[in-house]
């Protein structure tokens, strides 16, 4: 039996098509930058900063949740890199570490010669959290764009199969506000039926939801978000939110401080790790505000240090 082939007209990309993937990537990049630049490492050898080890450190902790700090006696340099554990002890901790770099570096490090740095007590990375929030924020944008578009064209069109492509092109011209519309001689306007959906306008409600999601994402990073003066915020609720953000921040800071203590004792170094004091400045840039609002308006801006 011959396969039935239904002719499908070429689809014409509309002006209002929402790019969900790129929107999600954009939010991911913003949040990723916040998470990977929350902490500042001080006291590393100069060559480690020159080679980008400090940047790699936070990137690796965000993506993998763990990094190994060690000294290579052959190269006579301190290095840090992701690793795989080998020969676990009774409690599941590795007795040795395998470090392999795409540049060709490969070495087994004994536990006595390396110190593990963890992103959190359970070695969990932040990448999944960042991806989840990026998807939520992009979804809000998509819903808002669809809702705005339905206010512009709040109806469903019914037409014959043979005129589907012609009708689509016809509507695209309307959608782009073209003052003159040209159609072919076979275009049958009577074949089109319009069904009004009467869609409610909910974009403003979705924007409020998006703001809430954004604040929650900043909370995980350890930053309290923008507090609008027009927004009624219960003092107890705000204190609870600040406490939660501080808890997330301190959990990540404590594991780094513990690693710093172990590194300093093992290698006689003087490393320090602190929360960056320019978190408020980066938050200012992201929200398009001026420095006066951040430095002089404590009611509107609160950044945990």
């Amino acid at each position: 039996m011959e396969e039935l082939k239904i002719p499908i007209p070429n689809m014409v990309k509309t002006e209002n098509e929402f790019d969900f993937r790129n929107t999600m990537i954009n939010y991911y990049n913003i949040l990723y930058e916040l998470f990977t630049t929350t902490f500042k490492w001080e006291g590393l050898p100069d060559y480690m900063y020159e080679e980008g080890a400090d940047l790699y450190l936070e990137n690796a902790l965000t993506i993998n949740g763990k990094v190994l700090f060690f000294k290579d006696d052959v190269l006579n340099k301190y290095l840090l890199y992701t690793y795989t554990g080998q020969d676990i002890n009774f409690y599941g901790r590795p007795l040795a570490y395998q470090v392999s770099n795409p540049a060709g570096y490969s070495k087994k490090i004994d536990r006595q010669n390396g110190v593990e740095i963890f992103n959190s007590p359970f070695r969990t990375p932040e990448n999944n959290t960042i991806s989840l929030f990026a998807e939520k924020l992009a979804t809000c944008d998509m819903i808002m764009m669809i809702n705005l578009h339905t206010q512009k064209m709040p109806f469903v069109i019914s037409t014959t199969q043979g005129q589907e492509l012609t009708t689509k092109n016809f509507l695209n011209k309307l959608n782009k506000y073209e003052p003159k519309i040209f159609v072919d001689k076979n275009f049958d306007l009577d074949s089109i039926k319009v069904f009004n959906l009467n869609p409610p306008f909910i974009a403003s409600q979705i924007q409020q939801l998006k703001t809430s999601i954004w604040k929650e994402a900043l909370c995980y990073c350890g930053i309290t978000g923008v507090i609008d003066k027009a927004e009624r915020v219960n003092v107890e609720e705000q204190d609870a939110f600040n406490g939660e953000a501080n808890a997330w921040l301190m959990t990540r800071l404590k594991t780094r401080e513990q690693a710093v203590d172990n590194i300093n004792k093992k290698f006689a170094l003087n490393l320090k790790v602190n929360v960056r004091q320019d978190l408020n400045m980066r938050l200012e840039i992201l929200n398009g505000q001026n420095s006066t609002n951040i430095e002089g308006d404590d009611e509107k801006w609160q950044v945990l240090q």
Side-chain angles (χ1 to χ4, degrees):
M1 181 177 179
E2 184 179 356
E3 182 182 0
L4 178 61
K5 296 183 179 180
I6 302 176
I8 302 177
N10 294 325
M11 298 298 291
V12 179
K13 183 177 179 179
T14 65
E15 291 286 319
N16 294 282
E17 185 173 333
F18 184 80
D19 193 337
F20 180 85
R21 183 176 181 276
N22 282 336
T23 302
M24 180 177 172
I25 290 175
N26 180 58
Y27 282 122
Y28 177 91
N29 289 338
I30 292 173
L31 292 172
Y32 185 85
E33 181 179 347
L34 283 173
F35 273 90
T36 55
T37 56
T38 300
F39 303 102
K40 182 178 182 180
W41 290 79
E42 301 175 349
L44 292 170
D46 291 341
Y47 60 82
M48 296 190 76
Y49 291 108
E50 293 171 0
E51 296 173 1
D54 55 330
L55 298 177
Y56 173 84
L57 173 57
E58 285 299 328
N59 276 287
L61 290 176
T62 301
I63 297 295
N64 299 304
K66 60 181 183 179
V67 172
L68 182 70
F69 186 99
F70 63 99
K71 183 176 182 180
D72 189 310
D73 293 329
V74 176
L75 298 176
N76 194 28
K77 293 175 63 175
Y78 291 104
L79 302 172
L80 54 86
Y81 207 75
T82 57
Y83 64 94
T84 55
Q86 295 184 342
D87 307 325
I88 63 174
N89 67 7
F90 183 80
Y91 298 101
R93 294 290 301 278
L95 300 175
Y97 316 98
Q98 180 63 43
V99 177
S100 298
N101 185 290
Y105 183 94
S106 182
K107 190 169 186 178
K108 184 176 180 179
I109 310 296
D110 293 333
R111 185 172 182 177
Q112 292 75 17
N113 298 320
V115 174
E116 296 169 286
I117 306 174
F118 300 127
N119 179 62
S120 69
F122 288 99
R123 294 78 160 155
T124 54
E126 306 292 348
N127 193 49
N128 290 339
T129 299
I130 296 172
S131 297
L132 181 63
F133 278 111
E135 182 178 2
K136 289 181 178 179
L137 292 168
T139 300
C140 287
D141 280 359
M142 180 179 65
I143 294 173
M144 285 191 290
M145 289 301 297
I146 292 175
N147 187 240
L148 289 171
H149 183 56
T150 55
Q151 304 304 309
K152 179 181 175 182
M153 299 183 69
F155 39 76
V156 172
I157 306 297
S158 172
T159 187
T160 61
Q161 182 177 358
Q163 297 212 70
E164 179 181 356
L165 182 59
T166 303
T167 303
K168 183 182 291 291
N169 290 331
F170 174 79
L171 291 173
N172 281 341
K173 290 180 180 292
L174 284 175
N175 193 33
K176 289 186 282 189
Y177 306 106
E178 292 194 15
K180 295 182 180 180
I181 301 173
F182 300 92
V183 298
D184 61 51
K185 62 181 180 180
N186 297 319
F187 183 68
D188 183 9
L189 187 60
D190 294 332
S191 67
I192 299 178
K193 295 181 181 180
V194 179
F195 303 91
N196 198 328
L197 299 175
N198 295 314
F201 180 71
I202 61 170
S204 57
Q205 299 174 35
I206 301 301
Q207 179 61 41
Q208 293 178 5
L209 174 61
K210 178 184 173 184
T211 300
S212 177
I213 294 173
W214 176 247
K215 288 182 179 180
E216 185 181 1
L218 294 180
C219 175
Y220 275 85
C221 189
I223 307 172
T224 56
V226 181
I227 304 173
D228 194 333
K229 288 183 176 180
E231 181 182 358
R232 296 181 180 273
V233 180
N234 181 282
V235 176
E236 289 78 10
E237 291 178 352
Q238 187 59 42
D239 288 344
F241 178 83
N242 291 349
E244 184 178 353
N246 189 55
W248 283 109
L249 182 65
M250 296 308 296
T251 297
R252 298 165 61 210
L253 178 61
K254 288 299 181 183
T255 56
R256 288 162 172 79
E257 288 179 336
Q258 182 61 55
V260 163
D261 290 341
N262 294 337
I263 291 171
N264 290 339
K265 291 176 182 177
K266 187 178 291 291
F267 300 110
L269 296 175
N270 189 28
L271 269 61
K272 295 180 182 178
V273 60
N274 297 297
V275 178
R276 287 186 180 273
Q277 298 301 305
D278 61 347
L279 281 179
N280 54 348
M281 183 63 67
R282 289 186 285 116
L283 192 60
E284 168 200 359
I285 295 173
L286 288 174
N287 289 278
Q289 302 291 331
N290 56 54
S291 58
T292 303
N293 287 337
I294 291 182
E295 298 175 356
D297 192 343
D298 294 336
E299 294 181 0
K300 186 173 183 180
W301 291 89
Q302 294 184 14
V303 180
L304 295 181
Q305 302 294 343

